[in-house]
Amino acid sequence: TAQLNLRSLPGFEKKRAMTPEEFFNMPRTFGDIEIPLFKTQPTAITWAGWAKWENNKPVSRTVITTNDFRAQKNAYRKQHAKTVGDLVKKSAECCKNAAGVVFYNAPFDAIKLREAGDFEIGLRETEPVHEVSIPFYKRIGAYGKQVTDLLRWAKIALAYLPNQKLETVYQHLFEK
């Protein structure tokens, strides 16, 4: 965290790093998109899934899609999007009140959403950007938001798994 001090230069003073408890309790949104390469030409985002968490507990789960599908009763709130641009705007709305946005492969998902429409998830209605583009250090940022990429974490912390696909990591962590 930082504190603004207008009486001294440079003006910002670093107070301390965020604690794990503060990180896990902050409001955040988990997101994932799907681009089925075998059904659409040109390839387009056909659905996005979002889960909102507050105080380390799930609050809501939403699936936004341009297709028709059946969801388990009460499992997800379903929103239909008429176009990909509409899907992107509804996805941005899911991220509005969150202090953090979590992706599994943020460089892919966040940038694809930005390229497909107005994915303004940062403060002051800003879009996500590449903060660092060097492959090993690649990082996505959104002004005023904590952007977390769980795939980068899995590649380091779970390097012993055969691969770090979302399904493999989920099975390892939750289906032992």
Side-chain angles (χ1 to χ4, degrees):
T1 59
Q3 177 178 352
L4 177 61
N5 184 349
L6 298 176
R7 294 186 184 134
S8 67
L9 292 176
F12 286 98
E13 299 173 11
K14 184 175 178 181
K15 290 178 75 177
R16 62 179 171 74
M18 186 183 295
T19 67
E21 185 175 287
E22 289 171 332
F23 175 78
F24 287 115
N25 286 331
M26 73 179 188
R28 62 193 181 282
T29 301
F30 292 83
D32 191 30
I33 65 170
E34 187 61 38
I35 301 176
L37 299 176
F38 57 92
K39 285 192 176 182
T40 59
Q41 288 299 324
T43 58
I45 302 168
T46 57
W47 68 261
W50 300 95
K52 290 183 181 184
W53 283 58
E54 292 179 8
N55 297 318
N56 210 25
K57 293 186 173 116
V59 175
S60 68
R61 295 183 294 180
T62 303
V63 172
I64 306 164
T65 182
T66 56
N67 299 326
D68 194 25
F69 80 104
R70 297 176 196 258
Q72 293 177 339
K73 200 171 196 176
N74 299 326
Y76 297 93
R77 191 177 93 213
K78 178 185 167 188
Q79 291 186 19
H80 182 74
K82 294 178 183 175
T83 65
V84 173
D86 188 32
L87 181 146
V88 172
K89 283 184 183 179
K90 289 180 180 193
S91 292
E93 280 299 314
C94 289
C95 302
K96 284 284 188 215
N97 296 323
V101 183
V102 182
F103 293 99
Y104 201 83
N105 196 0
F108 179 81
D109 289 358
I111 301 305
K112 285 291 184 187
L113 284 163
R114 182 188 75 186
E115 290 171 352
D118 295 326
F119 189 56
E120 297 170 343
I121 61 169
L123 299 180
R124 300 181 186 162
E125 298 180 357
T126 54
E127 295 182 332
V129 296
H130 278 108
E131 287 184 338
V132 178
S133 295
I134 300 168
F136 179 77
Y137 301 101
K138 191 176 280 189
R139 186 173 63 240
I140 299 298
Y143 182 76
K145 300 272 183 172
Q146 174 76 41
V147 178
T148 306
D149 183 5
L150 292 178
L151 177 59
R152 286 186 66 213
W153 170 82
K155 285 184 176 186
I156 295 167
L158 304 173
Y160 54 85
L161 293 177
N163 62 55
Q164 284 72 40
K165 292 181 182 177
L166 180 56
E167 183 177 359
T168 305
V169 170
Y170 180 86
Q171 287 175 353
H172 174 73
L173 294 175
F174 301 109
E175 296 180 2
K176 289 185 177 185

